[in-house]
Amino acid sequence: MNYHIGTMLIYEHFDGGSDCPVCKIKNAVDARLTESYLGEKVMEDDTRKEVNKLGFCKSHYEALFLMRSKLGLALQTRTRLTYLKKLDIDPNNVKSVKKAAVKLRESGNTCVVCKYLSEHMIRYYKTIAEVYAADEKFRERIVASDGFCLNHYSYLAEYSAYAGKKQKSYLADISEAENKRLEKLGADLDEFCMRHDYRNADKPMTGGKDALKNAKKTFYGI
Ligand SMILES: [Zn+2]
Ligand SMILES: [Zn+2]
């Protein structure tokens, strides 16, 4: 078997909980990656160049801002600003202003953390399929699981070829788990709506109480 990455996080987060296990892996990788931009990396030339060029998206800037080292963030933000200022806007030249306007708007869409996070996650999608193919016990965890958020179900399906000869059964197992999740969510939403009719107000509620919260987790991840 050719594992693309370590499997520790995979075994740790496919733990039978109801939250999407791939979201949990992603959040762990995200936290580690984000934190590294306030560590020794800040002083490395290659990292600085890349941060200057791509910057941070709003959510990663906010995550960095909440961490201890404000100086590390300030230094990187300063050089990012210098990089953006190089656009050299001539206030009296319509073409120059228009060109800079487009580039400045696009500058908000790039993020060095998002770039590496999505590269890491693609390796996880592949490795999850490989672990499935190699480990029957892991297969049982998927069968018993509560499925995934929509985004991660779609990525697991996209990279299912990495399960090799077991691709078909891998797709069947993740799809059955996902169908189970969506059916339960549908029933919970029905119950939630039903309870908002005063005639049903005194009926006991089972899964409906958290229906909107669970819908958010399924639609957008955790
Ligand atoms: Zn997810
Ligand atoms: Zn980002």
Side-chain angles (χ1 to χ4, degrees), residues 56-57 59-60 111 113-114:
F56 301 113
C57 67
S59 90
H60 282 123
C111 172
V113 186
C114 284

PDB file of all heavy atoms in Angstrom, residues 56-57 59-60 111 113-114, ligand 2:
ATOM      1  N   PHE A  56      -3.276  36.519   3.446  1.00  0.00           N
ATOM      2  CA  PHE A  56      -4.183  35.634   4.191  1.00  0.00           C
ATOM      3  C   PHE A  56      -5.625  36.013   3.856  1.00  0.00           C
ATOM      4  O   PHE A  56      -5.916  37.192   3.670  1.00  0.00           O
ATOM      5  CB  PHE A  56      -3.980  35.794   5.704  1.00  0.00           C
ATOM      6  CG  PHE A  56      -2.581  35.492   6.164  1.00  0.00           C
ATOM      7  CD1 PHE A  56      -1.765  36.502   6.680  1.00  0.00           C
ATOM      8  CD2 PHE A  56      -2.067  34.200   6.091  1.00  0.00           C
ATOM      9  CE1 PHE A  56      -0.470  36.220   7.108  1.00  0.00           C
ATOM     10  CE2 PHE A  56      -0.780  33.918   6.516  1.00  0.00           C
ATOM     11  CZ  PHE A  56       0.027  34.924   7.032  1.00  0.00           C
ATOM     12  N   CYS A  57      -6.527  35.023   3.813  1.00  0.00           N
ATOM     13  CA  CYS A  57      -7.946  35.341   3.640  1.00  0.00           C
ATOM     14  C   CYS A  57      -8.473  35.904   4.970  1.00  0.00           C
ATOM     15  O   CYS A  57      -7.773  35.855   5.996  1.00  0.00           O
ATOM     16  CB  CYS A  57      -8.736  34.096   3.234  1.00  0.00           C
ATOM     17  SG  CYS A  57      -8.810  32.847   4.542  1.00  0.00           S
ATOM     18  N   SER A  59     -10.703  34.808   7.089  1.00  0.00           N
ATOM     19  CA  SER A  59     -10.859  33.906   8.240  1.00  0.00           C
ATOM     20  C   SER A  59      -9.490  33.499   8.801  1.00  0.00           C
ATOM     21  O   SER A  59      -9.331  33.350  10.008  1.00  0.00           O
ATOM     22  CB  SER A  59     -11.754  32.719   7.906  1.00  0.00           C
ATOM     23  OG  SER A  59     -11.007  31.655   7.415  1.00  0.00           O
ATOM     24  N   HIS A  60      -8.477  33.334   7.952  1.00  0.00           N
ATOM     25  CA  HIS A  60      -7.154  33.003   8.497  1.00  0.00           C
ATOM     26  C   HIS A  60      -6.475  34.216   9.144  1.00  0.00           C
ATOM     27  O   HIS A  60      -5.731  34.073  10.098  1.00  0.00           O
ATOM     28  CB  HIS A  60      -6.279  32.361   7.413  1.00  0.00           C
ATOM     29  CG  HIS A  60      -6.638  30.918   7.198  1.00  0.00           C
ATOM     30  ND1 HIS A  60      -7.019  30.407   5.987  1.00  0.00           N
ATOM     31  CD2 HIS A  60      -6.730  29.895   8.094  1.00  0.00           C
ATOM     32  CE1 HIS A  60      -7.317  29.119   6.138  1.00  0.00           C
ATOM     33  NE2 HIS A  60      -7.154  28.791   7.404  1.00  0.00           N
ATOM     34  N   CYS A 111      -4.880  33.127  -0.445  1.00  0.00           N
ATOM     35  CA  CYS A 111      -4.487  32.908   0.949  1.00  0.00           C
ATOM     36  C   CYS A 111      -3.463  31.779   0.984  1.00  0.00           C
ATOM     37  O   CYS A 111      -3.697  30.693   0.441  1.00  0.00           O
ATOM     38  CB  CYS A 111      -5.695  32.529   1.794  1.00  0.00           C
ATOM     39  SG  CYS A 111      -5.276  32.003   3.473  1.00  0.00           S
ATOM     40  N   VAL A 113      -2.476  30.062   3.565  1.00  0.00           N
ATOM     41  CA  VAL A 113      -2.893  28.926   4.411  1.00  0.00           C
ATOM     42  C   VAL A 113      -3.908  28.068   3.648  1.00  0.00           C
ATOM     43  O   VAL A 113      -3.808  26.838   3.615  1.00  0.00           O
ATOM     44  CB  VAL A 113      -3.490  29.396   5.758  1.00  0.00           C
ATOM     45  CG1 VAL A 113      -3.770  28.194   6.663  1.00  0.00           C
ATOM     46  CG2 VAL A 113      -2.565  30.370   6.470  1.00  0.00           C
ATOM     47  N   CYS A 114      -4.887  28.728   3.014  1.00  0.00           N
ATOM     48  CA  CYS A 114      -5.891  27.980   2.231  1.00  0.00           C
ATOM     49  C   CYS A 114      -5.217  27.155   1.143  1.00  0.00           C
ATOM     50  O   CYS A 114      -5.617  26.019   0.878  1.00  0.00           O
ATOM     51  CB  CYS A 114      -6.887  28.936   1.583  1.00  0.00           C
ATOM     52  SG  CYS A 114      -8.104  29.588   2.734  1.00  0.00           S
TER      53      CYS A 114
HETATM   54 ZN    ZN B   2      -7.342  31.183   4.147  1.00  0.00          ZN
END
